[in-house]
Amino acid sequence: IFALVLNQTQSKRLVKFSQTVTFAPYFISMVVLVGMMYLFLSPSSGVVNKLIEALGGDPIYFMADAKWFRHIYVLSHVWQRTGYQAIIYFAALTSIDIGLYEAATLDGASKLQKIWYIDLPSITPTVVTMLLLAVGRILNVDTQRTLLMQAPTNLGTSEIFGTYVYKVGLLNNQPSYSTAINLFQTMINLVLLIIVNYTSKKLTEESLW
């Protein structure tokens, strides 16, 4: 969606500024990123909780609350990788023949119609490829980010395959058991990839093989 909006933006300066601002978080170290999250969400001095208190609410210890873990993880992941992912789609959009847009303008097409009938069909191969690559690692949640965000009070939702394998294999010195878990995870990813690849080939004629 972000790439589609950028593609329809007329101001080149605004496009470059937006790309720079959204791409910059990708280069932030994971340790620094999680540290920033702890600062922003601190129950005593965090900006978010200060705003909650200003609106009459009580401060929330976001990083220690199990019910908030998934939301914070997803939002931080989206914030850090949106710019990077958008570049791939934006590159595909810039390769579309400009004559298609000119013809659509002459026919009186709106921007939404251009997106629906020109942009989306043109980038379908890229979207499908990115989807298949994502499905192939769907269970490989960012272990480093999760470990840094993990606390005894949020283990109910923050314990994932990666952190469990790390604890079993390295902390508890059970390499064979951790290897079996990792193999099980890889097999599930492979099965999901084959299913989605087959479905995509039937529906869109686009696939990895």
Side-chain angles (χ1 to χ4, degrees):
I1 293 173
F2 180 63
L4 290 171
V5 172
L6 286 181
N7 191 54
Q8 292 295 328
T9 303
Q10 299 297 323
S11 174
K12 298 299 180 184
R13 288 186 177 181
L14 180 59
V15 170
K16 290 181 179 180
F17 175 76
S18 301
Q19 283 183 309
T20 302
V21 170
T22 55
F23 192 47
Y26 182 74
F27 296 101
I28 299 177
S29 164
M30 189 63 67
V31 177
V32 174
L33 177 71
V34 176
M36 291 170 61
M37 290 162 54
Y38 273 101
L39 288 175
F40 293 150
L41 300 175
S42 170
S44 58
S45 58
V47 176
V48 176
N49 273 305
K50 289 295 183 183
L51 180 60
I52 293 174
E53 289 179 334
L55 295 174
D58 296 322
I60 304 170
Y61 201 166
F62 290 98
M63 300 302 289
D65 196 333
K67 69 179 181 181
W68 284 102
F69 178 83
R70 293 190 182 98
H71 305 292
I72 297 170
Y73 179 93
V74 171
L75 287 174
S76 66
H77 183 81
V78 170
W79 174 64
Q80 188 176 31
R81 297 188 65 88
T82 293
Y84 173 78
Q85 296 285 348
I87 285 178
I88 299 172
Y89 296 110
F90 190 66
L93 288 167
T94 53
S95 64
I96 298 174
D97 185 2
I98 195 68
L100 295 174
Y101 294 112
E102 294 173 350
T105 302
L106 290 174
D107 289 339
S110 65
K111 286 190 176 182
L112 286 177
Q113 289 174 321
K114 291 177 183 177
I115 291 173
W116 186 259
Y117 293 107
I118 299 176
D119 291 346
L120 290 178
S122 299
I123 66 172
T124 295
T126 303
V127 172
V128 171
T129 300
M130 295 296 290
L131 171 65
L132 291 171
L133 292 174
V135 168
R137 56 177 186 272
I138 195 168
L139 294 182
N140 298 345
V141 182
D142 195 331
T143 303
Q144 183 183 6
R145 186 196 306 266
T146 306
L147 276 175
L148 291 169
M149 292 174 59
Q150 201 169 71
T153 53
N154 63 22
L155 280 177
T157 54
S158 66
E159 192 75 288
I160 59 172
F161 276 112
T163 57
Y164 187 64
V165 167
Y166 163 74
K167 292 172 182 176
V168 170
L170 295 180
L171 301 184
N172 297 339
N173 195 27
Q174 294 179 279
S176 57
Y177 184 40
S178 64
T179 301
I181 297 171
N182 231 354
L183 180 61
F184 174 72
Q185 177 185 354
T186 303
M187 291 303 297
I188 293 177
N189 283 336
L190 178 61
V191 171
L192 288 173
L193 177 59
I194 293 173
I195 292 172
V196 176
N197 186 76
Y198 176 79
T199 306
S200 173
K201 193 172 184 179
K202 289 293 183 181
L203 296 178
T204 67
E205 297 183 357
E206 299 290 342
S207 62
L208 291 179
W209 66 84

